[in-house]
Amino acid sequence: MTFFWSSWITILSIMCWAFILGILLMVLKFKPEVEDDGTTGHEYDGIREYDKALPKWWLVIFFGSIIWGVAYWVFFPGIFPSKWEGITTVEVDGKTLPWTSKNELYSELESNNKVFTDNFEKNILAKADASGATKTLASLSEMQATMRRSEKPPADLQAQIDEKIAELSPYVEKLSENPNALKVGSRLFLQNCAVCHGSNAKGATGYPNLTDNDWLYGGEASNILTTLHNGRVGGMAAWRDQLGEDGIRAVSEYVLSLSGNQPGYELDKAQVAQGEAIFKEPTNCVLCHGPEGKGMISAGAPNLTDNIWLYGGDRETIRETLRYGRAGVMPEWETKLGNERIMLLAAYVYSLSDRTVQPAAKATSVAAAMPKQVVSTEKTVN
């Protein structure tokens, strides 16, 4: 709040307080002339007016509220907040800070989170035989706090954080077999993830199905943890300017031929051959999807040879994807949920996936450490 508005509100508050107090003192001091029977001589409709003292309980409450108001100005930043911080303090992140509604919120969130983490360690990790995660979580929290506080954090700090996150993956697998952990994880999913992935986690057009075994970045516990902690930013470039409409149609035809599961389509063999040549040019589709079109987990590129599509696998939808590209964002949840809740959420998602067969998209050596993404070119991704 600017100094002008702070001053204006403060002055109005003080004037209102002084006016009310003045009126009360004037009324208490004023003594009207009364008749022998104790009335003021005023009568209306048979009702005579007496001059009686105000009830003491009412006066106590009234003056008490005035005193409370003055005390509030002292304890809290009620008078010129930009100049007076008050004497009330709260604990936030181990520091004693002046009271503000923001600091109070953070303090209460920390207190509530402490209750949650204690319960998480005692009643969930311990019962899932995953208590070994406690030490890793403590180290991870310290590193994350250092990252937040440092204007110039150590260059390798993020890599160390990623390593600690990966160390939690065996414990996530154990939690995925624990009913209590899955119960909490399902609640977290419904509260935070269902808006995009659906309450049954089967996704929708543009939002991945989390119950199959088709993953752009891999469906292992470590991959899911990384996705939840860091988020994913993905996209497929628009190719209409580079390829032209004829090139778009040819590549679309080749992609249809790769899938091999498009009933009712008669493929144009000439376009398939032309599209294959365009697809396999070193700077075109092969760069991300691989020479066989099976995708690359390291690059987040989808497998084009199965029948799982994020935006649809019909001819016109594939053409639209190639013309205009696709873009999507999976938000990071580290700052919103914290490490413990992410473990539970990752365990729940891990438990949903069909793990009976290997994912079709194979990892390659392309940019293994590049940022991950959940929404990709055309295919479903978890």
Side-chain angles (χ1 to χ4, degrees):
M1 185 182 293
T2 63
F3 179 77
F4 170 79
W5 286 111
S6 175
S7 304
W8 180 248
I9 293 173
T10 299
I11 291 171
L12 284 179
S13 300
I14 293 176
M15 288 177 61
C16 181
W17 174 82
F19 176 76
I20 294 174
L21 180 62
I23 291 293
L24 178 61
L25 293 176
M26 183 183 70
V27 170
L28 291 175
K29 186 177 180 181
F30 178 72
K31 299 295 183 183
E33 294 183 2
V34 296
E35 304 292 338
D36 294 339
D37 60 357
T39 65
T40 61
H42 297 156
E43 182 177 342
Y44 181 78
D45 198 19
I47 300 174
R48 292 180 295 171
E49 180 184 359
Y50 284 87
D51 179 35
K52 299 291 186 180
L54 291 169
K56 291 184 178 180
W57 64 265
W58 189 91
L59 289 173
V60 169
I61 293 175
F62 195 92
F63 280 111
S65 64
I66 292 175
I67 294 172
W68 177 88
V70 174
Y72 186 93
W73 288 343
V74 173
F75 282 92
F76 299 95
I79 301 179
F80 296 106
S82 59
K83 302 296 181 181
W84 172 250
E85 295 181 339
I87 63 175
T88 302
T89 59
V90 292
E91 294 290 327
V92 179
D93 200 15
K95 298 180 180 178
T96 300
L97 301 177
W99 182 94
T100 64
S101 57
K102 179 180 178 180
N103 289 341
E104 183 181 37
L105 172 63
Y106 287 161
S107 179
E108 290 180 354
L109 287 175
E110 285 185 5
S111 178
N112 292 337
N113 193 60
K114 180 65 166 57
V115 174
F116 176 85
T117 54
D118 288 346
N119 182 65
F120 175 73
E121 293 173 3
K122 296 176 182 177
N123 298 321
I124 296 181
L125 286 182
K127 294 181 180 179
D129 193 25
S131 296
T134 303
K135 185 177 179 180
T136 303
L137 285 168
S139 299
L140 177 60
S141 296
E142 290 179 6
M143 292 179 182
Q144 291 167 335
T146 302
M147 177 69 79
R148 289 193 300 268
R149 294 168 185 167
S150 302
E151 294 183 4
K152 295 182 179 180
D156 62 340
L157 182 56
Q158 185 58 54
Q160 295 177 27
I161 290 175
D162 292 339
E163 289 177 3
K164 287 296 178 183
I165 291 173
E167 288 179 16
L168 294 173
S169 55
Y171 305 108
V172 167
E173 294 177 13
K174 289 184 177 182
L175 291 176
S176 69
E177 300 173 355
N178 181 270
N180 289 333
L182 293 180
K183 184 182 296 184
V184 179
S186 68
R187 299 298 187 273
L188 289 169
F189 184 90
L190 291 172
Q191 292 167 3
N192 300 284
C193 312
V195 66
C196 291
H197 296 282
S199 58
N200 60 0
K202 291 186 179 295
T205 301
Y207 299 99
N209 178 2
L210 304 179
T211 65
D212 58 18
N213 203 9
D214 191 76
W215 300 79
L216 280 185
Y217 294 96
E220 299 305 317
S222 58
N223 305 127
I224 299 172
L225 280 170
T226 301
T227 296
L228 291 170
H229 273 275
N230 301 333
R232 306 289 192 185
V233 178
M236 166 156 167
W239 289 93
R240 58 178 179 174
D241 294 335
Q242 295 93 320
L243 302 182
E245 185 59 26
D246 290 342
I248 293 293
R249 290 175 177 270
V251 174
S252 298
E253 206 72 5
Y254 177 64
V255 170
L256 279 173
S257 74
L258 283 178
S259 181
N261 47 38
Q262 305 295 328
Y265 283 97
E266 290 187 11
L267 298 177
D268 186 320
K269 294 182 179 179
Q271 282 194 334
V272 169
Q274 180 187 355
E276 181 178 8
I278 296 173
F279 186 98
K280 292 185 177 180
E281 287 184 14
T283 58
N284 290 345
C285 315
V286 69
L287 185 64
C288 293
H289 295 283
E292 297 179 355
K294 291 186 177 295
M296 296 181 182
I297 288 175
S298 59
N303 178 7
L304 303 178
T305 66
D306 59 21
N307 62 347
I308 302 174
W309 302 82
L310 186 58
Y311 295 97
D314 60 278
R315 180 180 278 127
E316 189 51 45
T317 301
I318 296 173
R319 290 175 178 176
E320 183 179 349
T321 296
L322 286 165
R323 287 190 195 106
Y324 305 111
R326 300 290 185 183
V329 175
M330 159 86 176
E332 61 83 18
W333 292 96
E334 183 176 285
T335 57
K336 302 175 183 69
L337 296 181
N339 301 319
E340 293 79 11
R341 290 177 178 84
I342 285 181
M343 281 189 70
L344 291 166
L345 188 52
Y348 178 69
V349 173
Y350 185 81
S351 73
L352 294 176
S353 178
D354 178 8
R355 317 199 65 77
T356 57
V357 294
Q358 292 296 320
K362 304 272 191 296
T364 70
S365 59
V366 177
M370 71 184 296
K372 279 82 174 172
Q373 60 202 60
V374 167
V375 180
S376 183
T377 58
E378 307 157 21
K379 311 294 288 190
T380 296
V381 54
N382 299 345

